[in-house]
Amino acid sequence: MDEIDIEHVAELSLSDPVLIEGLPGVGHIGKLVAEHLVEEFDGELVRRVYADEFPPQVTVDDEGVTDLTAAEFHAIETPGDASDLLVLTGDHQASTNAGHYKLTSAFLDVAEAFGVEQAYALGGVPTGELVEEYTVLGAVTDADLKESLEAADVEFRADEPAGGIVGVSGLLLGLGERRGLDATCLMGETSGYLVDPKSAQAVLEVLQEVIGFEVDFSSLEDRAEEMEEVVGKIQEMQSQQQQQVMPDDELRYIG
């Protein structure tokens, strides 16, 4: 196999398509959004991208059938006047810096072949603590893109996220700009400790508003409720552990 091998699974003509990138990252926010869109709109698999930068493994489905690890593009023909979507997702990112550049270039080649001129990279910003009110941060390749995003309550903060945007999400903006692509990164605030469906929903609500499609949130809301139960149990365990630790002023020498 070549370093990068692109399999043409199906051919589909899209109307004014927008690229949505949702590969694994902090809180799995982008991945949750991408998979939700593919499921709700019954997206069609059009490309698989294989690379030796991915882990040496296969996935196994419910029937016990295997597939070599790959990133996937799904095409979505949205109802109404909204732009169609080309959704990129998968279970892994590249294992090296050079691999990130090569894979992102390949992803952009696929997007260009479908006529994509605008892209949204999705991810999370870790806060280090549980989040109650979910804010979506933004970064753009051109300041002219900010107005519609700010109208959708996206916040732009100086020097955030600290350290910049890494991985495919960052390179879609960096390499995409060099190709003339209008690219935006939407990042939901999240604790950084757990998969975060609530933050994913906040990001998806922004996408829905700025692109103009409508999607059902029920399954994301169900996952959020399940995660809240997990968080509640964790908090309860932490509280019990704290209660079991004897305060300093109660310590006594016994002998």
Side-chain angles (χ1 to χ4, degrees), residues 41-110:
F41 285 121
D42 195 21
E44 181 175 357
L45 177 63
V46 289
R47 298 287 187 274
R48 284 194 183 96
V49 181
Y50 301 96
D52 59 9
E53 282 285 333
F54 291 142
Q57 67 186 62
V58 296
T59 58
V60 184
D61 68 14
D62 295 338
E63 302 296 325
V65 178
T66 64
D67 273 313
L68 182 62
T69 295
E72 296 182 342
F73 284 89
H74 289 80
I76 294 174
E77 296 179 286
T78 58
D81 297 328
S83 296
D84 289 340
L85 308 178
L86 184 65
V87 180
L88 165 62
T89 190
D91 293 328
H92 303 280
Q93 293 211 30
S95 57
T96 67
N97 291 341
H100 278 294
Y101 277 87
K102 291 176 183 177
L103 267 171
T104 305
S105 294
F107 295 153
L108 288 168
D109 289 343
V110 173

Side-chain angles (χ1 to χ4, degrees), residues 22-210:
L23 292 168
V26 178
H28 267 34
I29 292 167
K31 184 173 170 60
L32 285 172
V33 172
E35 290 179 345
H36 187 79
L37 288 171
V38 170
E39 181 177 346
E40 291 297 320
F41 285 121
D42 195 21
E44 181 175 357
L45 177 63
V46 289
R47 298 287 187 274
R48 284 194 183 96
V49 181
Y50 301 96
D52 59 9
E53 282 285 333
F54 291 142
Q57 67 186 62
V58 296
T59 58
V60 184
D61 68 14
D62 295 338
E63 302 296 325
V65 178
T66 64
D67 273 313
L68 182 62
T69 295
E72 296 182 342
F73 284 89
H74 289 80
I76 294 174
E77 296 179 286
T78 58
D81 297 328
S83 296
D84 289 340
L85 308 178
L86 184 65
V87 180
L88 165 62
T89 190
D91 293 328
H92 303 280
Q93 293 211 30
S95 57
T96 67
N97 291 341
H100 278 294
Y101 277 87
K102 291 176 183 177
L103 267 171
T104 305
S105 294
F107 295 153
L108 288 168
D109 289 343
V110 173
E112 286 182 350
F114 276 92
V116 167
E117 296 182 355
Q118 187 173 16
Y120 290 88
L122 311 180
V125 176
T127 63
E129 57 188 12
L130 295 177
V131 178
E132 293 186 2
E133 294 186 8
Y134 287 85
T135 300
V136 178
L137 305 186
V140 292
T141 56
D142 190 315
D144 291 341
L145 300 172
K146 292 174 62 174
E147 183 176 354
S148 63
L149 295 165
E150 289 173 330
D153 294 327
V154 175
E155 292 189 9
F156 292 85
R157 300 175 184 170
D159 300 320
E160 284 199 36
I165 305 168
V166 300
V168 171
S169 291
L171 289 179
L172 275 179
L173 274 69
L175 298 180
E177 181 184 15
R178 293 174 65 85
R179 298 192 186 203
L181 187 71
D182 287 335
T184 296
C185 188
L186 297 176
M187 299 159 282
E189 285 191 323
T190 181
S191 68
Y193 304 134
L194 301 166
V195 174
D196 198 335
K198 276 195 169 182
S199 186
Q201 181 172 337
V203 170
L204 184 52
E205 287 172 351
V206 171
L207 271 183
Q208 179 177 251
E209 182 170 344
V210 296

